[in-house]
Amino acid sequence: MSSVPRAREAAPGVACLTLSRLVNVALLDDGDGRWWLVDTGTRRHFDAIRRAADARFGTPPEAILLTHGRPDHAGSALALAAYWNVPVRVARAE
């Protein structure tokens, strides 16, 4: 099994997880034990995101937030939502 990917701190409460040269996701933390995942990479990023988030927080996010519905941003959204049993939020236009 490969190592758990580590997110880098971009700002207080904002961590960036780089999944490939062109794909990043953000983990937003309110400091009170609640957090949100912003974007989910492609389908193949499911396991890396799951492992990094579980190692960092140990609890499911409040929700998965998608900036838009393209496969490189939303590819593993449904699988992660099912794994954590959380909603996926996206703009109505998407």
Side-chain angles (χ1 to χ4, degrees):
M1 179 179 208
S2 61
S3 65
V4 175
R6 255 179 76 78
R8 66 175 170 75
E9 301 303 313
V14 180
C16 181
L17 179 62
T18 299
L19 299 168
S20 72
R21 194 169 62 90
L22 299 174
V23 178
N24 298 286
V25 302
L27 302 108
L28 308 179
D29 179 0
D30 74 354
D32 287 326
R34 298 181 330 155
W35 71 279
W36 295 260
L37 175 64
V38 179
D39 289 339
T40 64
T42 66
R43 283 188 215 173
R44 70 182 178 91
H45 294 120
F46 167 84
D47 194 52
I49 294 169
R50 179 194 59 79
R51 288 184 293 117
D54 287 350
R56 184 179 184 91
F57 298 107
T59 61
E62 296 295 308
I64 295 169
L65 311 174
L66 298 178
T67 57
H68 59 279
R70 292 199 41 150
D72 59 330
H73 289 255
S76 60
L78 294 180
L80 287 165
Y83 172 75
W84 284 314
N85 191 30
V86 298
V88 175
R89 306 284 188 221
V90 63
R92 183 165 288 152
E94 291 293 327

